[in-house]
Amino acid sequence: MTKSLDNHTLRAALLARGFIDVTSADRSTKSWRLHHPRMRHWVSIKLASDTARPMSAAPLVIHPDDAAQVLRSAEARAVLTFESQPYKGSSTIYDGTPGRALSLPDERAVDAFVAAVTEPVACPTVCPAAGAASSPEAVLLAAAAQELDTEPGAHDLAATTRQALIEARIGQGQFRQNMLRLWEHRCAVTGCAIEAVLVASHAVAWKDNADPAVRLDPYNGLLLAASIDRLFDRGLISFADDGALLRQPGLSASELALLGLQPDARLRAVHERHKTYLRAHRARHGF
């Protein structure tokens, strides 16, 4: 069997080279799913039944189109080894098409792989399939990664911190999980428990503070139903230190009522650590 980096080492290596973990929280753990902003398709890294146990049997699975692109690179061909048959694991099927499994023996092989799959390829003037395999979440994560990478010091971040920041930028990942726990999986104002419509919203906006500790702090924000999140994000409403709802003068009580917000609406709870961020939100939006 061809020697390869084990799956845990490989995941860390890819994250350090710009890949983003887009594994859905509610899917089975047969594989990790990663995406790179310059790739059309996600890649999978196999997981053992005991997910903590490293495995090195051709751990990476990629889309056949990406496999063809890798094979066009002489440098990649020299250091990577594909399995002879398509890999038909259920968590690595691309819209019915099996992926190709391969082994990467060392960091040099990882570099060659990344260079090959992120190299721009020629596309006809009309290219309707471009990006078709990327989920909306993957597109948002890729955009967040590109935004983060333009900031000073971004390339000095640890891979785990970088990934957490990318996920937090779109209200996902550990940031969202921490917010859900903090607010007991309910909207901070209405108590709505439909998680699909709850948004992990920042109080101090991403662009206003680049400190990872602030961006990832679950107290820097509120878990809000989508319509309330939009009002809060745009600075049309805010909250006092005691949790009371504040609204801009141009926003009538009747308009808020149509969104389920009554004049006496308030946060269900306010922790002392919320107050600094709420004050910053009020100052930012002129309350």
Side-chain angles (χ1 to χ4, degrees):
M1 183 179 295
T2 303
K3 175 188 174 185
S4 178
L5 294 174
D6 68 71
N7 54 346
H8 289 265
T9 303
L10 178 59
R11 177 177 178 272
L14 291 179
L15 290 175
R17 289 164 172 80
F19 280 75
I20 307 154
D21 192 327
V22 295
T23 309
S24 299
D26 59 352
R27 66 192 293 271
S28 64
T29 56
K30 293 181 180 178
S31 69
W32 284 307
R33 183 173 291 188
L34 278 65
H35 183 264
H36 192 284
R38 294 175 62 183
M39 290 183 68
R40 285 175 51 195
H41 310 286
W42 41 265
V43 304
S44 285
I45 298 177
K46 302 175 194 174
L47 281 168
S49 54
D50 174 5
T51 57
R53 179 172 62 82
M55 62 175 294
S56 55
L60 185 65
V61 182
I62 64 177
H63 191 280
D65 289 349
D66 294 322
Q69 187 167 337
V70 168
L71 291 171
R72 285 193 290 269
S73 164
E75 181 179 358
R77 288 199 309 272
V79 292
L80 306 177
T81 304
F82 281 92
E83 297 290 281
S84 59
Q85 298 297 321
Y87 185 76
K88 297 182 180 180
S90 60
S91 62
T92 59
I93 298 293
Y94 296 86
D95 295 327
T97 303
R100 295 292 308 278
L102 66 153
S103 299
L104 298 89
D106 51 31
E107 295 279 341
R108 175 180 165 229
V110 176
D111 288 334
F113 167 76
V114 174
V117 295
T118 59
E119 180 70 22
V121 294
C123 182
T125 302
V126 178
C127 190
S134 294
S135 68
E137 184 183 74
V139 172
L140 290 172
L141 287 166
Q146 290 178 316
E147 179 183 357
L148 178 64
D149 287 344
T150 65
E151 297 183 354
H155 297 287
D156 297 327
L157 293 170
T160 52
T161 301
R162 180 178 183 276
Q163 181 186 345
L165 286 169
I166 290 167
E167 293 171 339
R169 180 67 181 94
I170 63 169
Q172 297 295 333
Q174 192 59 49
F175 178 72
R176 175 177 171 81
Q177 294 304 312
N178 290 340
M179 293 277 276
L180 286 167
R181 282 193 291 271
L182 185 61
W183 291 100
E184 299 176 328
H185 296 252
R186 293 179 176 274
C187 172
V189 178
T190 67
C192 171
I194 305 173
E195 285 193 20
V197 302
L198 298 180
V199 181
S201 183
H202 282 90
V204 174
W206 180 273
K207 65 180 180 295
D208 292 340
N209 195 313
D211 183 352
V214 171
R215 288 177 167 180
L216 298 176
D217 188 349
Y219 291 93
N220 174 24
L222 303 168
L223 188 69
L224 299 171
S227 57
I228 304 174
D229 161 71
R230 183 57 62 92
L231 292 168
F232 184 70
D233 184 63
R234 298 298 175 87
L236 296 174
I237 65 170
S238 192
F239 297 93
D241 281 359
D242 65 357
L245 174 69
L246 305 173
R247 59 184 170 89
Q248 294 288 4
L251 191 62
S252 70
S254 60
E255 288 172 324
L256 287 179
L258 292 173
L259 296 173
L261 283 177
Q262 301 302 322
D264 61 350
R266 62 191 310 111
L267 295 174
R268 295 189 293 113
V270 179
H271 190 280
E272 194 64 33
R273 286 175 59 185
H274 281 123
K275 294 180 181 179
T276 298
Y277 296 119
L278 289 175
R279 289 170 193 150
H281 183 268
R282 295 196 299 270
R284 175 75 171 78
H285 296 288
F287 285 93

